[in-house]
Amino acid sequence: MEYRKIKDEDDDGSGGNSSDIENLRGKPLSALSVGNVSANSSELAKWKRKSVVTLALTVLTSSQAILIVWSKRAGKYEYSVTTANFLVETLKCALSLAALARIWNHEGVTDDNRLSTTLDEVIVYPIPAILYLVKNLLQYYIFAYVDAPGYQILKNLNIISTGVLYRIILKKKLSEIQWAAFILLCCGCTTAQLNSNSDRVLQTPLQGWTMAIVMALLSGFAGVYTEAIIKKRPSRNINVQNFWLYVFGMIFNAVAIVTQDFDAVMNKGFFHGYSLITVLMILNHALSGIAVSMVMKYADNIVKVYSTSVAMLLTAVVSVFLFGFHLSLAFFLGATVVSVSVYLHSAGKLQR
């Protein structure tokens, strides 16, 4: 946009460059140097911040599946997954409150950042909260059928569900590039799951694929619904909206604890079976959401594409040493195709 603006001024013959040169005459060289140094410092600060966000998102994304698998003992979870989910929602709620407290301290309390609200605004949050609850619980149980690298591949199916639901619910038109990206994504996921060491064609059984598709649909619908809520009142502070979403997430996870793990929690304690890996996993899940928000604020879609692509390969490499994962040619090719499809989907957004 800046280039076009400058070019238009040149084409109009406004003499912008000549007047700028005239204005610079008589100014000391030190003033020009200070301006250049200030601009360079600002660009350097942006680059450093973008690099930190990219690195954080890559590490958090790649370690998410690894930590879930690592937290299992003898093929099962010794801790209650419902209590773990409850703590994730609690931590995210606390982080949202901390962010709001900082805003209140600097800007004061306004109509857009106050927590008090109406019933009509709050009543919409239980729907995405329930969807995220089911999706997050399935996230633990899917590892009975899929390994960590396979999970990172199949998780990208939510791009398809999100895109299709965008088209159906929000009436957003998808570009031809995005539709092509969806087809490539399906091909990449299938290729990565090819199994050459047994009679079974795909490594992941039907139950695993079914759970992955259900998770993708839940994640896509929850994401689209949440965006619709946010855009209904765009001036509302995002931390307030997140706070209410996480509050309902805590409520529904508390209900899940009572209905699913009440006896275990009462007899063994809330934190029974917890280990350092479990704590790191909870921190990872909470910080991942914060990292995505930071990408939207400080970086761009290319950062998400880069992080997703690197995370898939990084998860596979780490799984080789931790879990004896076999890094096959089919997986490498499938991961490459998925990376290309994610990039095309991002590029298609920019061209709409």
PDB file of all heavy atoms in Angstrom, residues 10-39:
ATOM      1  N   ASP A  10       4.065  10.158  -7.475  1.00  0.00           N
ATOM      2  CA  ASP A  10       5.018  10.397  -8.547  1.00  0.00           C
ATOM      3  C   ASP A  10       4.292  10.572  -9.876  1.00  0.00           C
ATOM      4  O   ASP A  10       4.635  11.434 -10.686  1.00  0.00           O
ATOM      5  CB  ASP A  10       6.006   9.235  -8.644  1.00  0.00           C
ATOM      6  CG  ASP A  10       6.948   9.213  -7.444  1.00  0.00           C
ATOM      7  OD1 ASP A  10       7.021  10.255  -6.758  1.00  0.00           O
ATOM      8  OD2 ASP A  10       7.574   8.159  -7.194  1.00  0.00           O
ATOM      9  N   ASP A  11       3.292   9.730 -10.140  1.00  0.00           N
ATOM     10  CA  ASP A  11       2.558   9.799 -11.401  1.00  0.00           C
ATOM     11  C   ASP A  11       1.774  11.094 -11.517  1.00  0.00           C
ATOM     12  O   ASP A  11       1.584  11.626 -12.608  1.00  0.00           O
ATOM     13  CB  ASP A  11       1.603   8.606 -11.537  1.00  0.00           C
ATOM     14  CG  ASP A  11       2.383   7.305 -11.680  1.00  0.00           C
ATOM     15  OD1 ASP A  11       3.569   7.378 -12.029  1.00  0.00           O
ATOM     16  OD2 ASP A  11       1.781   6.234 -11.426  1.00  0.00           O
ATOM     17  N   ASP A  12       1.299  11.605 -10.388  1.00  0.00           N
ATOM     18  CA  ASP A  12       0.533  12.848 -10.412  1.00  0.00           C
ATOM     19  C   ASP A  12       1.421  14.069 -10.612  1.00  0.00           C
ATOM     20  O   ASP A  12       0.942  15.186 -10.797  1.00  0.00           O
ATOM     21  CB  ASP A  12      -0.262  13.023  -9.106  1.00  0.00           C
ATOM     22  CG  ASP A  12      -1.343  11.967  -8.995  1.00  0.00           C
ATOM     23  OD1 ASP A  12      -1.706  11.399 -10.046  1.00  0.00           O
ATOM     24  OD2 ASP A  12      -1.805  11.719  -7.868  1.00  0.00           O
ATOM     25  N   GLY A  13       2.735  13.866 -10.506  1.00  0.00           N
ATOM     26  CA  GLY A  13       3.659  14.973 -10.678  1.00  0.00           C
ATOM     27  C   GLY A  13       3.575  15.978  -9.570  1.00  0.00           C
ATOM     28  O   GLY A  13       3.759  17.190  -9.775  1.00  0.00           O
ATOM     29  N   SER A  14       3.262  15.500  -8.365  1.00  0.00           N
ATOM     30  CA  SER A  14       3.092  16.409  -7.251  1.00  0.00           C
ATOM     31  C   SER A  14       4.393  16.948  -6.726  1.00  0.00           C
ATOM     32  O   SER A  14       4.423  17.847  -5.898  1.00  0.00           O
ATOM     33  CB  SER A  14       2.323  15.706  -6.125  1.00  0.00           C
ATOM     34  OG  SER A  14       3.039  14.569  -5.708  1.00  0.00           O
ATOM     35  N   GLY A  15       5.486  16.357  -7.200  1.00  0.00           N
ATOM     36  CA  GLY A  15       6.785  16.843  -6.758  1.00  0.00           C
ATOM     37  C   GLY A  15       7.091  16.514  -5.335  1.00  0.00           C
ATOM     38  O   GLY A  15       7.809  17.251  -4.658  1.00  0.00           O
ATOM     39  N   GLY A  16       6.496  15.430  -4.856  1.00  0.00           N
ATOM     40  CA  GLY A  16       6.713  15.046  -3.461  1.00  0.00           C
ATOM     41  C   GLY A  16       8.162  14.805  -3.173  1.00  0.00           C
ATOM     42  O   GLY A  16       8.692  15.224  -2.149  1.00  0.00           O
ATOM     43  N   ASN A  17       8.869  14.123  -4.066  1.00  0.00           N
ATOM     44  CA  ASN A  17      10.272  13.818  -3.817  1.00  0.00           C
ATOM     45  C   ASN A  17      11.098  15.089  -3.780  1.00  0.00           C
ATOM     46  O   ASN A  17      12.011  15.255  -2.972  1.00  0.00           O
ATOM     47  CB  ASN A  17      10.802  12.890  -4.909  1.00  0.00           C
ATOM     48  CG  ASN A  17      10.191  11.506  -4.816  1.00  0.00           C
ATOM     49  OD1 ASN A  17       9.696  11.141  -3.761  1.00  0.00           O
ATOM     50  ND2 ASN A  17      10.214  10.762  -5.900  1.00  0.00           N
ATOM     51  N   SER A  18      10.789  16.057  -4.707  1.00  0.00           N
ATOM     52  CA  SER A  18      11.567  17.290  -4.760  1.00  0.00           C
ATOM     53  C   SER A  18      11.376  18.108  -3.491  1.00  0.00           C
ATOM     54  O   SER A  18      12.339  18.642  -2.927  1.00  0.00           O
ATOM     55  CB  SER A  18      11.135  18.121  -5.983  1.00  0.00           C
ATOM     56  OG  SER A  18      11.352  17.396  -7.174  1.00  0.00           O
ATOM     57  N   SER A  19      10.123  18.175  -3.027  1.00  0.00           N
ATOM     58  CA  SER A  19       9.866  18.941  -1.811  1.00  0.00           C
ATOM     59  C   SER A  19      10.515  18.297  -0.607  1.00  0.00           C
ATOM     60  O   SER A  19      10.988  18.989   0.290  1.00  0.00           O
ATOM     61  CB  SER A  19       8.356  19.078  -1.586  1.00  0.00           C
ATOM     62  OG  SER A  19       7.776  17.805  -1.435  1.00  0.00           O
ATOM     63  N   ASP A  20      10.541  16.946  -0.612  1.00  0.00           N
ATOM     64  CA  ASP A  20      11.194  16.252   0.494  1.00  0.00           C
ATOM     65  C   ASP A  20      12.675  16.575   0.509  1.00  0.00           C
ATOM     66  O   ASP A  20      13.281  16.766   1.568  1.00  0.00           O
ATOM     67  CB  ASP A  20      10.985  14.739   0.375  1.00  0.00           C
ATOM     68  CG  ASP A  20       9.564  14.344   0.687  1.00  0.00           C
ATOM     69  OD1 ASP A  20       8.860  15.170   1.301  1.00  0.00           O
ATOM     70  OD2 ASP A  20       9.165  13.228   0.302  1.00  0.00           O
ATOM     71  N   ILE A  21      13.288  16.594  -0.684  1.00  0.00           N
ATOM     72  CA  ILE A  21      14.715  16.905  -0.757  1.00  0.00           C
ATOM     73  C   ILE A  21      14.975  18.327  -0.283  1.00  0.00           C
ATOM     74  O   ILE A  21      15.934  18.604   0.441  1.00  0.00           O
ATOM     75  CB  ILE A  21      15.223  16.716  -2.202  1.00  0.00           C
ATOM     76  CG1 ILE A  21      15.147  15.229  -2.573  1.00  0.00           C
ATOM     77  CG2 ILE A  21      16.645  17.213  -2.359  1.00  0.00           C
ATOM     78  CD1 ILE A  21      15.465  14.967  -4.026  1.00  0.00           C
ATOM     79  N   GLU A  22      14.078  19.252  -0.691  1.00  0.00           N
ATOM     80  CA  GLU A  22      14.246  20.639  -0.267  1.00  0.00           C
ATOM     81  C   GLU A  22      14.124  20.746   1.252  1.00  0.00           C
ATOM     82  O   GLU A  22      14.833  21.510   1.897  1.00  0.00           O
ATOM     83  CB  GLU A  22      13.183  21.520  -0.938  1.00  0.00           C
ATOM     84  CG  GLU A  22      13.391  21.682  -2.444  1.00  0.00           C
ATOM     85  CD  GLU A  22      14.689  22.419  -2.760  1.00  0.00           C
ATOM     86  OE1 GLU A  22      15.099  23.259  -1.944  1.00  0.00           O
ATOM     87  OE2 GLU A  22      15.286  22.135  -3.813  1.00  0.00           O
ATOM     88  N   ASN A  23      13.189  19.988   1.814  1.00  0.00           N
ATOM     89  CA  ASN A  23      12.994  20.034   3.264  1.00  0.00           C
ATOM     90  C   ASN A  23      14.177  19.472   4.019  1.00  0.00           C
ATOM     91  O   ASN A  23      14.449  19.876   5.153  1.00  0.00           O
ATOM     92  CB  ASN A  23      11.736  19.239   3.657  1.00  0.00           C
ATOM     93  CG  ASN A  23      10.466  19.929   3.193  1.00  0.00           C
ATOM     94  OD1 ASN A  23      10.434  21.148   3.038  1.00  0.00           O
ATOM     95  ND2 ASN A  23       9.425  19.138   2.949  1.00  0.00           N
ATOM     96  N   LEU A  24      14.873  18.515   3.389  1.00  0.00           N
ATOM     97  CA  LEU A  24      16.022  17.918   4.052  1.00  0.00           C
ATOM     98  C   LEU A  24      17.237  18.826   4.042  1.00  0.00           C
ATOM     99  O   LEU A  24      18.136  18.680   4.860  1.00  0.00           O
ATOM    100  CB  LEU A  24      16.380  16.586   3.372  1.00  0.00           C
ATOM    101  CG  LEU A  24      15.370  15.464   3.563  1.00  0.00           C
ATOM    102  CD1 LEU A  24      15.790  14.244   2.750  1.00  0.00           C
ATOM    103  CD2 LEU A  24      15.230  15.085   5.030  1.00  0.00           C
ATOM    104  N   ARG A  25      17.258  19.777   3.089  1.00  0.00           N
ATOM    105  CA  ARG A  25      18.402  20.692   3.015  1.00  0.00           C
ATOM    106  C   ARG A  25      18.434  21.588   4.234  1.00  0.00           C
ATOM    107  O   ARG A  25      17.429  22.145   4.661  1.00  0.00           O
ATOM    108  CB  ARG A  25      18.296  21.549   1.746  1.00  0.00           C
ATOM    109  CG  ARG A  25      18.574  20.759   0.470  1.00  0.00           C
ATOM    110  CD  ARG A  25      18.376  21.630  -0.747  1.00  0.00           C
ATOM    111  NE  ARG A  25      18.609  20.844  -1.963  1.00  0.00           N
ATOM    112  CZ  ARG A  25      18.354  21.294  -3.185  1.00  0.00           C
ATOM    113  NH1 ARG A  25      17.870  22.519  -3.358  1.00  0.00           N
ATOM    114  NH2 ARG A  25      18.583  20.527  -4.236  1.00  0.00           N
ATOM    115  N   GLY A  26      19.587  21.761   4.756  1.00  0.00           N
ATOM    116  CA  GLY A  26      19.749  22.618   5.926  1.00  0.00           C
ATOM    117  C   GLY A  26      19.599  21.892   7.233  1.00  0.00           C
ATOM    118  O   GLY A  26      19.877  22.439   8.289  1.00  0.00           O
ATOM    119  N   LYS A  27      19.114  20.607   7.176  1.00  0.00           N
ATOM    120  CA  LYS A  27      18.995  19.826   8.405  1.00  0.00           C
ATOM    121  C   LYS A  27      20.315  19.145   8.689  1.00  0.00           C
ATOM    122  O   LYS A  27      20.986  18.671   7.762  1.00  0.00           O
ATOM    123  CB  LYS A  27      17.888  18.770   8.280  1.00  0.00           C
ATOM    124  CG  LYS A  27      16.488  19.369   8.274  1.00  0.00           C
ATOM    125  CD  LYS A  27      15.453  18.284   8.369  1.00  0.00           C
ATOM    126  CE  LYS A  27      14.050  18.879   8.427  1.00  0.00           C
ATOM    127  NZ  LYS A  27      13.006  17.856   8.533  1.00  0.00           N
ATOM    128  N   PRO A  28      20.711  19.090   9.933  1.00  0.00           N
ATOM    129  CA  PRO A  28      21.990  18.450  10.258  1.00  0.00           C
ATOM    130  C   PRO A  28      21.973  16.965   9.951  1.00  0.00           C
ATOM    131  O   PRO A  28      20.931  16.317  10.037  1.00  0.00           O
ATOM    132  CB  PRO A  28      22.134  18.705  11.765  1.00  0.00           C
ATOM    133  CG  PRO A  28      20.736  18.927  12.256  1.00  0.00           C
ATOM    134  CD  PRO A  28      20.025  19.601  11.123  1.00  0.00           C
ATOM    135  N   LEU A  29      23.141  16.449   9.596  1.00  0.00           N
ATOM    136  CA  LEU A  29      23.263  15.034   9.264  1.00  0.00           C
ATOM    137  C   LEU A  29      22.925  14.156  10.447  1.00  0.00           C
ATOM    138  O   LEU A  29      22.396  13.059  10.306  1.00  0.00           O
ATOM    139  CB  LEU A  29      24.697  14.749   8.782  1.00  0.00           C
ATOM    140  CG  LEU A  29      24.993  13.309   8.309  1.00  0.00           C
ATOM    141  CD1 LEU A  29      24.095  12.978   7.134  1.00  0.00           C
ATOM    142  CD2 LEU A  29      26.459  13.167   7.933  1.00  0.00           C
ATOM    143  N   SER A  30      23.191  14.675  11.646  1.00  0.00           N
ATOM    144  CA  SER A  30      22.916  13.889  12.858  1.00  0.00           C
ATOM    145  C   SER A  30      21.432  13.598  13.007  1.00  0.00           C
ATOM    146  O   SER A  30      21.028  12.528  13.439  1.00  0.00           O
ATOM    147  CB  SER A  30      23.429  14.636  14.098  1.00  0.00           C
ATOM    148  OG  SER A  30      22.792  15.911  14.197  1.00  0.00           O
ATOM    149  N   ALA A  31      20.583  14.576  12.601  1.00  0.00           N
ATOM    150  CA  ALA A  31      19.129  14.361  12.704  1.00  0.00           C
ATOM    151  C   ALA A  31      18.683  13.256  11.780  1.00  0.00           C
ATOM    152  O   ALA A  31      17.830  12.433  12.128  1.00  0.00           O
ATOM    153  CB  ALA A  31      18.395  15.659  12.368  1.00  0.00           C
ATOM    154  N   LEU A  32      19.274  13.243  10.546  1.00  0.00           N
ATOM    155  CA  LEU A  32      18.932  12.187   9.608  1.00  0.00           C
ATOM    156  C   LEU A  32      19.397  10.844  10.121  1.00  0.00           C
ATOM    157  O   LEU A  32      18.711   9.837   9.994  1.00  0.00           O
ATOM    158  CB  LEU A  32      19.564  12.473   8.247  1.00  0.00           C
ATOM    159  CG  LEU A  32      19.139  13.785   7.573  1.00  0.00           C
ATOM    160  CD1 LEU A  32      19.883  13.959   6.258  1.00  0.00           C
ATOM    161  CD2 LEU A  32      17.647  13.818   7.340  1.00  0.00           C
ATOM    162  N   SER A  33      20.574  10.807  10.716  1.00  0.00           N
ATOM    163  CA  SER A  33      21.132   9.556  11.243  1.00  0.00           C
ATOM    164  C   SER A  33      20.281   9.019  12.371  1.00  0.00           C
ATOM    165  O   SER A  33      20.010   7.820  12.459  1.00  0.00           O
ATOM    166  CB  SER A  33      22.573   9.788  11.723  1.00  0.00           C
ATOM    167  OG  SER A  33      23.381  10.242  10.657  1.00  0.00           O
ATOM    168  N   VAL A  34      19.830   9.929  13.248  1.00  0.00           N
ATOM    169  CA  VAL A  34      18.990   9.502  14.372  1.00  0.00           C
ATOM    170  C   VAL A  34      17.685   8.905  13.858  1.00  0.00           C
ATOM    171  O   VAL A  34      17.201   7.897  14.354  1.00  0.00           O
ATOM    172  CB  VAL A  34      18.711  10.691  15.315  1.00  0.00           C
ATOM    173  CG1 VAL A  34      17.642  10.320  16.335  1.00  0.00           C
ATOM    174  CG2 VAL A  34      19.980  11.117  16.024  1.00  0.00           C
ATOM    175  N   GLY A  35      17.109   9.538  12.800  1.00  0.00           N
ATOM    176  CA  GLY A  35      15.876   9.014  12.226  1.00  0.00           C
ATOM    177  C   GLY A  35      16.056   7.637  11.646  1.00  0.00           C
ATOM    178  O   GLY A  35      15.217   6.753  11.831  1.00  0.00           O
ATOM    179  N   ASN A  36      17.172   7.434  10.946  1.00  0.00           N
ATOM    180  CA  ASN A  36      17.446   6.122  10.353  1.00  0.00           C
ATOM    181  C   ASN A  36      17.668   5.066  11.424  1.00  0.00           C
ATOM    182  O   ASN A  36      17.195   3.940  11.321  1.00  0.00           O
ATOM    183  CB  ASN A  36      18.671   6.195   9.441  1.00  0.00           C
ATOM    184  CG  ASN A  36      18.384   6.991   8.177  1.00  0.00           C
ATOM    185  OD1 ASN A  36      17.242   7.070   7.747  1.00  0.00           O
ATOM    186  ND2 ASN A  36      19.414   7.591   7.600  1.00  0.00           N
ATOM    187  N   VAL A  37      18.413   5.447  12.463  1.00  0.00           N
ATOM    188  CA  VAL A  37      18.686   4.503  13.553  1.00  0.00           C
ATOM    189  C   VAL A  37      17.395   4.119  14.258  1.00  0.00           C
ATOM    190  O   VAL A  37      17.161   2.952  14.595  1.00  0.00           O
ATOM    191  CB  VAL A  37      19.685   5.117  14.565  1.00  0.00           C
ATOM    192  CG1 VAL A  37      19.783   4.237  15.809  1.00  0.00           C
ATOM    193  CG2 VAL A  37      21.053   5.274  13.923  1.00  0.00           C
ATOM    194  N   SER A  38      16.502   5.128  14.452  1.00  0.00           N
ATOM    195  CA  SER A  38      15.229   4.855  15.114  1.00  0.00           C
ATOM    196  C   SER A  38      14.368   3.903  14.286  1.00  0.00           C
ATOM    197  O   SER A  38      13.757   2.976  14.817  1.00  0.00           O
ATOM    198  CB  SER A  38      14.482   6.167  15.340  1.00  0.00           C
ATOM    199  OG  SER A  38      13.218   5.931  15.917  1.00  0.00           O
ATOM    200  N   ALA A  39      14.342   4.141  12.958  1.00  0.00           N
ATOM    201  CA  ALA A  39      13.567   3.262  12.075  1.00  0.00           C
ATOM    202  C   ALA A  39      14.133   1.852  12.064  1.00  0.00           C
ATOM    203  O   ALA A  39      13.388   0.866  12.114  1.00  0.00           O
ATOM    204  CB  ALA A  39      13.551   3.836  10.657  1.00  0.00           C
TER     205      ALA A  39
END
